[in-house]
């Protein structure tokens, strides 16, 4: 039993250390993208975006969230950061951008988010600020929360309830509009 306990704790420690290293690396990549953009070295036509690519960083100051936004929502990607949901607007594009994260890691603190809280999205192009409009819970099958919008908006998605053990039956949704 002791050996199993040590193995389980080792696995968790290795996972957390790997995630921290990935976050640090993602921040360095974002800083490099910003510098290239400022120096006009960035190509006019951007290369295709692949799963796991760094898109930016999301900050929610009031609840203490600061995490890299990566492309995609595979298990591996969401283990390393929060992920841009395929089929939704990309940062800098008009429309509804969807970002998903695990409730037990990077998006744990959004349980305390409130209407009118500020959400900041930093990309190589700059910082975009959003203001929270609504907070709701839905079923996983309700994809209407990710419907395209005419104006720039942001939708955060995580599982709900936050302290549920196992696969959570609902989704916690935060809608915000561009300020």
């Amino acid at each position: 039993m002791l050996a199993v306990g040590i193995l389980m704790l080792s696995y968790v420690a290795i996972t957390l250390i790997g995630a921290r290293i990935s976050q640090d690396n993602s921040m360095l990549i974002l800083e490099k993208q910003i510098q290239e953009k400022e120096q006009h070295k960035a190509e006019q036509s951007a290369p295709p975006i692949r799963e796991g690519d760094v898109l930016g960083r999301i900050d929610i100051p009031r609840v203490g969230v600061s995490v890299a936004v990566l492309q995609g929502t595979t298990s591996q990607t969401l283990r390393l950061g929060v992920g841009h949901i395929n089929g939704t607007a990309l940062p800098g594009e008009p429309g509804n951008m969807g970002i998903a994260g695990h409730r037990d890691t990077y998006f744990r603190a959004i349980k305390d988010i409130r209407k009118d809280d500020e959400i900041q999205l930093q990309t190589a192009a700059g910082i975009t600020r959003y203001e929270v409009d609504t907070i709701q819970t839905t079923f996983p099958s309700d994809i209407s929360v990710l419907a395209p919008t005419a104006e720039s908006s942001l939708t955060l998605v995580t599982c709900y309830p936050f302290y549920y053990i196992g696969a959570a039956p609902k989704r916690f949704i935060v809608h915000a509009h561009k300020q």
Side-chain angles (χ1 to χ4, degrees):
M1 292 295 261
L2 181 62
V4 170
I6 290 171
L7 284 174
M8 290 174 62
L9 287 174
S10 297
Y11 173 76
V12 170
I14 289 169
T15 301
L16 291 174
I17 290 169
R20 181 75 251 157
I21 290 170
S22 175
Q23 281 293 302
D24 292 344
N25 188 42
S26 295
M27 293 307 128
L28 291 173
I29 290 169
L30 178 58
E31 287 177 25
K32 182 180 176 189
Q33 291 172 349
I34 292 168
Q35 288 174 352
E36 287 176 354
K37 183 85 171 178
E38 288 173 355
Q39 296 172 0
H40 303 289
K41 290 182 183 176
E43 297 175 349
Q44 293 299 327
S45 61
I49 299 171
R50 297 182 320 261
E51 181 76 30
D53 282 354
V54 176
L55 300 180
R57 181 182 72 224
I58 191 167
D59 293 294
I60 310 172
R62 197 185 67 72
V63 297
V65 170
S66 182
V67 62
V69 178
L70 309 175
Q71 175 57 39
T73 56
T74 64
S75 297
Q76 176 64 24
T77 300
L78 294 182
R79 196 174 301 127
L80 303 175
V82 296
H84 167 257
I85 300 170
N86 289 323
T88 66
L90 285 164
E93 292 181 351
N96 185 14
M97 178 176 36
I99 298 178
H102 284 308
R103 72 178 189 266
D104 52 359
T105 57
Y106 301 109
F107 270 0
R108 166 75 76 190
I110 70 168
K111 70 183 180 348
D112 298 322
I113 203 163
R114 294 185 220 153
K115 185 177 179 344
D116 299 326
D117 278 353
E118 182 179 71
I119 301 172
Q120 302 166 4
L121 178 67
Q122 181 172 11
T123 65
I127 296 175
T128 306
R129 289 175 168 71
Y130 297 87
E131 184 177 303
V132 175
D133 294 318
T134 62
I135 300 159
Q136 68 184 92
T137 58
T138 67
F139 289 100
S141 59
D142 182 6
I143 58 170
S144 68
V145 297
L146 297 172
T149 59
E151 298 173 1
S152 292
S153 62
L154 175 67
T155 301
L156 305 181
V157 179
T158 193
C159 292
Y160 183 84
F162 284 92
Y163 297 104
Y164 193 84
I165 296 175
K170 293 188 176 183
R171 298 295 176 262
F172 187 83
I173 309 295
V174 176
H175 291 282
H177 70 276
K178 185 177 175 183
Q179 292 181 327

